[in-house]
Amino acid sequence: ALGVPVVVTSHGGDIGLVGRYRRNWITRRRMIRAMRIADAVTGVSEGQKALVDELTDGAAHSLVIPNGVDLDVVPPGEPGRLAVLRDRPFMLTLGRLHPCKGLDLLLSAIAVLRGRTGSRGERESGSPRIPHLVIAGDGNIRDALASQAKALGLTEAVTFAGAVFDEAKNWLLANCQFLVHPSRQEGFGLAILESMAAGKAVIGSDLPGIRQLINPGVTGLLTPVGAADGLADAIARLAGDPGEASRLGLAGLAAAGNYAWPRVAKQYLDLYQRCIDSYPAPPARIAD
């Protein structure tokens, strides 16, 4: 109405197949209208763009601009409240504690592995030692996950680190053996990208927003969505072969350069400029 260009960005949950805004017919209709009349709609992955195109019957001016990552990470410093992990090998999962992140599957996978290796995760019959699991993040299913860990006998095998930021997050990324990201739904695996930028191997679900980042066997490992056994196999593979984990991490670090913030920011700036150039000069009262 004011002659101002509009760009809509979809990150995932807003238009996801199980998203509450998509399921509600009122908000669904409003989202579709907004995307149809916007000057551009960006999705953070090819999968997100496909959702935009499907919802709008191809009427949206859609394109992909991914999330970015900072390659100049601040040194992690001291672990602070995470000092208990200082000399303990651990794998990491990072993100909000929500059912779509599949952390219940991760706990089940660890239980599967402990069944193969013994209750304390020690080597038996050539099986690798299972790294301690650090769950970094907070959300409305934390108590449910803690109860599940207790029921599975995993209380001593899991640390709930809570929400982490800045130095604490950087320390976890710098010191973990690898990252596990077992999502059931994902627009774009930002935690995966951050781990790659830290030079760490990653395990992720075979979803479009994750598949875009992980080249199987080159920059990480993909597992079937919702499969605890497949997740257990991938964890055992990296835990049992530090050399492969290191190789995947180095390849992931190189691939993360494609998502460096300067490159991603330029894509947005170019898009904004194209939108501005397509509009007539704004009314004087808007220019003022």
Side-chain angles (χ1 to χ4, degrees):
L2 297 176
V4 178
V6 175
V7 175
V8 175
T9 296
S10 171
H11 287 273
D14 43 9
I15 64 171
L17 297 176
V18 297
R20 63 189 180 98
Y21 293 118
R22 177 168 175 153
R23 294 199 308 268
N24 182 290
W25 71 270
I26 296 176
T27 50
R28 176 189 175 99
R29 184 177 63 182
R30 289 175 176 171
M31 287 196 304
I32 292 173
R33 180 175 182 274
M35 291 189 291
R36 281 175 174 267
I37 66 176
D39 295 274
V41 182
T42 67
V44 293
S45 67
E46 291 289 349
Q48 284 305 110
K49 180 183 182 301
L51 286 175
V52 171
D53 293 339
E54 180 259 321
L55 274 172
T56 63
D57 293 325
H61 300 287
S62 63
L63 69 158
V64 177
I65 299 182
N67 283 325
V69 68
D70 187 356
L71 297 180
D72 298 319
V73 179
V74 176
E78 290 299 312
R81 64 186 174 88
L82 302 171
V84 65
L85 301 168
R86 188 194 301 272
D87 298 316
R88 192 172 196 177
F90 65 90
M91 55 185 162
L92 174 67
T93 187
L94 179 64
R96 63 193 176 108
L97 307 189
H98 185 278
C100 72
K101 296 299 183 181
L103 299 181
D104 58 313
L105 295 169
L106 179 53
L107 293 176
S108 295
I110 294 174
V112 169
L113 286 171
R114 286 168 71 88
R116 296 176 186 173
T117 62
S119 62
R120 299 182 62 184
E122 297 175 350
R123 297 174 186 270
E124 293 181 5
S125 302
S127 297
R129 182 180 295 276
I130 307 166
H132 188 76
L133 172 63
V134 175
I135 298 177
D138 211 347
N140 58 9
I141 65 166
R142 175 168 178 161
D143 290 344
L145 291 172
S147 296
Q148 181 187 2
K150 182 177 180 180
L152 292 172
L154 302 178
T155 301
E156 299 300 321
V158 180
T159 293
F160 288 88
V164 293
F165 306 96
D166 303 324
E167 288 188 358
K169 182 172 77 170
N170 292 341
W171 187 89
L172 286 172
L173 288 170
N175 288 277
C176 71
Q177 289 185 301
F178 50 86
L179 179 102
V180 188
H181 201 75
S183 292
R184 293 183 172 93
Q185 174 187 327
E186 194 74 51
F188 183 92
L190 183 56
I192 288 176
L193 183 56
E194 290 177 328
S195 299
M196 291 168 64
K200 299 297 179 176
V202 292
I203 299 171
S205 303
D206 192 4
L207 293 166
I210 294 177
R211 197 182 308 126
Q212 176 177 331
L213 295 169
I214 296 179
N215 183 355
V218 178
T219 61
L221 303 179
L222 290 176
T223 62
V225 179
D229 284 342
L231 195 57
D233 291 341
I235 291 171
R237 176 174 167 177
L238 292 189
D241 191 347
E244 181 180 28
S246 177
R247 175 179 61 80
L248 295 175
L250 289 174
L253 176 59
N258 295 321
Y259 299 89
W261 267 122
R263 298 183 64 165
V264 174
K266 185 178 186 304
Q267 294 180 63
Y268 270 111
L269 291 172
D270 289 346
L271 172 62
Y272 294 159
Q273 191 62 57
R274 291 197 300 272
C275 291
I276 292 170
D277 291 344
S278 68
Y279 270 64
R285 63 185 179 88
I286 300 297
D288 291 342

